């Protein structure tokens, strides 16, 4: 885009309306919508109506809003708008609305005619209200639908308690200016105020604890104790990240992430946060678990707010138990932020019911390595009796899994579903039966995380989007036949 294309044709600004009158003309939905929007402020709303819709009239009465009953007469408009700070024309009659705007402009009052951009001195934005914090979104010609979609996204990202936290911050402003040195120390103080123990206490509606935490921050001139979040990044799709995970990523000073977490999710963290990759992928362990534990403890003791970002859910094959034990022993506080585990994402991609009335009433999470020993695990009998089995990291041990389960009595024709990169745009889905599962071990083309789901309930999945496991074997035989034919031809 050229510099001229990047310039706005409007100047975003906030209008001071406290205790001043704002006049809304109209009887129906548009006027009602503008009045409701204004009700987010403490403006003195004046509703000019002639024959208001019943729901609008009821709302005006319930809210105690000053109402002027009169026709939208040009002779009366000057008196009706006099002294207002803004005027909204929403009568539904274009000519009436233009006359109202003309009268307001004659009194040097900015006016807005609904759905008539040429008769608008200002536009009403989509509003995210966390009073005293307000975020106004305008899209300059792209239409209100886009603005409302953006508003919804921002509304989800901001804590409902942000307004209360902002009011508390206003109380501490003078004290911070007196006690906390200017520059880096003060920036650290306010960043901690809005993201650490104070914010957590306000979020829990514990204002007394919030004040104690704020006072402690003041006494340490911005230095705060570290804290670690063990965060589930989900199966990989960015829009499956929880809202809480998004919030703590924006609060973190450091993000410690494993190889299975997509870069796009890591990049959702605060721009200036330190990013530390620790590997933790099969045959690619850049740091041992003990090294990761020591790293988390060190960062916490340095006073940093740390997100330990794990694929799926941190409590499902995420080795969170070892990390929690290390943090407890070191006296570093932590908390768990759950994520969507890969089994659920894989089932969703297949439209697969993990439990099914009359077929499967229990669900087993396991790794293929549980089925490689000499003794079958205790849950194997549940699998034979109908439980659904979700096998994490199952490709390289697929043959062992299939052989052990069939040897224990599970039918070779039991349906299986296999998915690589569950939930992601590059996911690949396969289906077949248990006796075909060993073919997975030869699939070098499956480089992403693979989930295998086994059980009678799997037969209820939607296989229209997946490829039969047998197709790979058929292609392999065909390629081998072609190679043999070429060799014979060359010898001939």
């Amino acid at each position: 885009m050229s510099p001229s294309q990047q310039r706005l044709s409007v100047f975003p600004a906030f209008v001071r309306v406290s205790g001043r009158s704002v006049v809304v003309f109209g009887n129906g939905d548009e006027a009602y919508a503008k009045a409701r929007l204004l009700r987010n402020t403490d403006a003195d709303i004046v509703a000019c109506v002639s024959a208001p819709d019943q729901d609008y009239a009821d709302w005006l009465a319930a809210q105690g809003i000053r109402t002027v009953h009169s026709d939208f007469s040009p002779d009366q408009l000057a008196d009706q708008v006099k002294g207002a700070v803004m005027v909204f024309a929403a009568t539904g009659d274009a000519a009436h609305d233009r006359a109202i705007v003309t009268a307001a402009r004659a009194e040097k009052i900015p006016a807005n005619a609904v759905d008539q951009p040429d008769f608008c001195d200002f536009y009403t934005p989509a509003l995210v209200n966390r009073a005293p914090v307000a975020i106004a979104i305008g899209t300059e010609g792209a239409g209100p639908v886009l603005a409302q979609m953006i508003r919804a996204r921002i509304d989800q990202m901001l804590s409902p308690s942000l307004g209360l936290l902002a009011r508390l911050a206003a109380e501490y402003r003078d004290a911070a200016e007196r006690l906390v040195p200017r520059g880096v120390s003060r920036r650290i103080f306010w960043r901690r105020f809005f993201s650490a123990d104070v914010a957590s206490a306000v979020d829990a509606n514990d204002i007394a604890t919030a004040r104690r935490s704020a006072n402690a921050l003041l006494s340490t001139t911005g230095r705060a104790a570290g804290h670690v979040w063990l965060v589930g990044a989900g199966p990989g799709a960015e829009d499956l990240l929880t809202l809480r995970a998004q919030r703590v990523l924006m609060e973190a000073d450091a993000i410690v992430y494993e190889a299975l977490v997509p870069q796009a999710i890591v990049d959702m963290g605060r721009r200036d946060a330190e990013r530390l990759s620790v590997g933790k992928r099969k045959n690619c362990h850049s740091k041992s678990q003990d090294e990761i534990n020591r790293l988390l403890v060190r960062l916490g003791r340095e006073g940093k707010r740390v997100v330990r970002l794990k694929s799926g859910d941190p409590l499902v094959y995420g080795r969170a138990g070892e990390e929690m034990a290390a943090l407890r022993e070191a006296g570093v506080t932590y908390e768990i932020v759950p994520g969507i585990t890969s089994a659920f994402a894989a089932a969703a991609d297949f439209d697969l019911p993990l439990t099914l009335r009359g077929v499967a009433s229990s669900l087993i999470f396991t790794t293929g390595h549980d089925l490689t020993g000499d003794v079958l695990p205790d849950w194997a009998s549940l699998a034979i009796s109908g439980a659904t089995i979700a096998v994490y990291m199952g490709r390289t041990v697929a043959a062992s899994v299939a052989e052990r389960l069939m040897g224990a009595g599970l039918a070779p024709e039991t349906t299986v579903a296999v998915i690589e990169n569950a939930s992601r745009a590059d996911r690949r889905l396969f289906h077949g039966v248990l006796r075909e599962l060993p073919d997975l071990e030869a699939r070098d083309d499956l480089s992403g995380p693979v989930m295998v789901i086994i059980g009678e309930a799997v037969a209820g999945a939607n296989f229209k989007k997946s490829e039969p496991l047998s197709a790979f074997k058929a292609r392999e035989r065909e390629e081998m036949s072609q190679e043999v034919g070429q060799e014979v031809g060359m010898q001939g």
Side-chain angles (χ1 to χ4, degrees):
M1 293 177 69
S2 67
S4 61
Q5 289 176 312
Q6 293 175 338
R7 296 190 186 113
L8 296 169
S9 64
V10 295
F11 182 77
F14 288 90
V15 178
R16 189 180 298 277
V17 296
S18 178
R20 304 177 72 181
S21 66
V22 177
V23 183
V24 180
F25 288 86
N27 295 312
D29 290 341
E30 292 292 353
Y32 191 3
K34 300 304 182 190
R36 284 199 308 270
L37 183 64
L38 287 165
R39 201 58 176 153
N40 287 289
T41 73
D42 57 1
D44 176 19
I45 304 170
V46 180
C48 288
V49 298
S50 56
D53 292 348
Q54 191 60 52
D55 55 348
Y56 184 29
D58 292 343
W59 182 83
L60 291 172
Q63 297 292 320
I65 290 173
R66 182 153 56 104
T67 305
V68 176
H69 289 271
S70 67
D71 292 329
F72 307 123
S73 167
D75 297 335
Q76 299 175 336
L77 288 177
D79 290 335
Q80 290 168 339
V81 301
K82 196 178 293 293
V85 66
M86 287 193 301
V87 170
F88 289 92
T91 67
D93 183 308
H96 277 326
D97 288 345
R98 289 195 295 271
I100 292 166
V101 170
T102 300
R105 287 174 173 174
E107 296 292 327
K108 296 183 172 53
I109 300 168
N112 174 290
V114 173
D115 293 333
Q116 296 188 73
D118 291 341
F119 280 81
C120 289
D121 300 317
F122 63 90
Y123 302 108
T124 52
L127 181 67
V128 178
N129 183 7
R130 297 290 191 275
V133 177
I135 298 174
I137 302 127
T139 53
E140 195 178 353
V145 174
L146 177 58
Q148 290 298 336
M149 290 174 62
I150 297 170
R151 186 204 68 79
R153 290 290 299 275
I154 294 174
D155 199 32
Q156 290 175 341
M157 293 170 63
L158 296 179
S159 170
S161 63
L162 178 60
L164 185 56
L165 182 61
R167 285 193 289 273
L168 187 64
E171 296 180 25
Y172 278 84
R173 181 178 177 182
D174 290 343
E177 290 184 356
R178 289 197 314 272
L179 301 175
V180 182
R182 287 180 179 273
V184 174
S185 293
R186 193 173 295 177
R187 285 198 301 273
I188 291 174
F189 170 83
W190 284 118
R191 180 154 56 82
R192 298 297 194 201
F193 189 101
F194 281 101
S195 65
D197 295 339
V198 180
S200 297
V202 171
D203 204 36
N205 202 30
D206 187 350
I207 304 305
T209 298
R211 291 184 188 280
R212 286 195 294 271
S213 298
N215 292 336
L217 267 182
L218 282 173
S219 66
T220 56
T221 62
R223 294 187 301 275
H227 185 76
V228 177
W229 289 281
L230 304 179
V231 176
E238 297 141 72
D239 55 355
L240 289 181
L241 200 68
T242 67
L243 297 177
R244 184 180 298 179
Q246 281 185 298
R247 283 200 290 267
V248 300
L249 274 168
M250 290 303 298
E251 295 175 16
D253 303 306
I255 301 170
V256 179
Y257 63 97
E258 60 186 44
L260 289 175
V261 177
Q263 188 63 43
I265 289 180
V266 178
D267 290 342
M268 293 172 75
R270 216 179 67 228
R271 187 182 307 171
D272 59 341
E274 184 180 6
R275 287 161 169 75
L276 302 164
S277 172
V278 294
K280 301 302 291 176
R281 188 172 188 168
K282 187 176 178 65
N283 300 323
C284 183
H285 290 191
S286 59
K287 286 189 182 295
S288 70
Q289 188 59 52
D290 284 342
E291 288 175 320
I292 294 172
N293 295 346
R294 290 195 294 272
L295 173 63
L296 295 177
V297 168
R298 176 176 64 79
L299 293 170
R301 284 177 167 170
E302 289 174 356
K304 293 183 177 179
R305 309 279 283 179
V306 183
V307 163
R308 169 67 170 109
L309 201 54
K310 297 171 176 284
S311 177
D313 182 276
L315 302 179
V316 180
Y317 302 117
R319 304 189 73 169
E322 298 168 55
E323 294 172 5
M324 288 188 288
L327 292 167
R328 279 196 299 267
E329 185 177 347
V332 177
T333 61
Y334 66 87
E335 61 187 281
I336 305 294
V337 179
I340 295 175
T341 190
S342 299
F344 296 152
D349 286 335
F350 264 109
D351 304 342
L352 190 163
L354 291 169
T355 60
L356 190 62
R357 187 170 59 178
V359 177
S361 60
S362 54
L363 173 63
I364 297 165
F365 291 166
T366 185
T367 67
H369 304 288
D370 289 342
L371 285 162
T372 56
D374 293 333
V375 180
L376 275 173
D378 293 338
W379 56 256
S381 59
L382 293 175
I384 296 165
S385 64
T388 304
I389 314 167
V391 185
Y392 289 71
M393 301 165 284
R395 185 183 74 81
T396 57
V397 290
S400 298
V401 170
E403 290 167 8
R404 298 300 305 279
L405 287 175
M406 287 188 291
L410 193 61
E413 300 304 315
T414 302
T415 311
V416 300
V418 178
I419 185 164
E420 177 195 28
N421 295 328
S423 83
R424 305 185 194 185
D426 60 348
R427 60 184 175 269
R428 299 172 66 191
L429 285 70
F430 307 91
H431 67 274
V433 294
L434 186 59
R435 61 178 168 77
E436 297 172 330
L437 198 57
D439 293 343
L440 273 186
E441 290 197 27
R443 297 292 299 266
D444 293 333
D445 58 316
L446 300 179
S447 58
V450 171
M451 172 68 62
V452 179
I453 305 178
I454 305 167
E456 294 180 21
V458 180
N462 177 7
F463 295 133
K464 291 180 181 179
K465 299 175 286 185
S466 66
E467 177 185 333
L469 285 171
S470 57
F472 175 74
K473 201 72 173 178
R475 283 198 301 270
E476 197 175 49
R477 285 195 297 268
E478 184 180 344
E479 289 170 1
M480 188 177 299
S481 175
Q482 290 174 350
E483 288 175 5
V484 170
Q486 288 172 356
E487 289 180 7
V488 170
M490 290 173 65
Q491 292 172 1

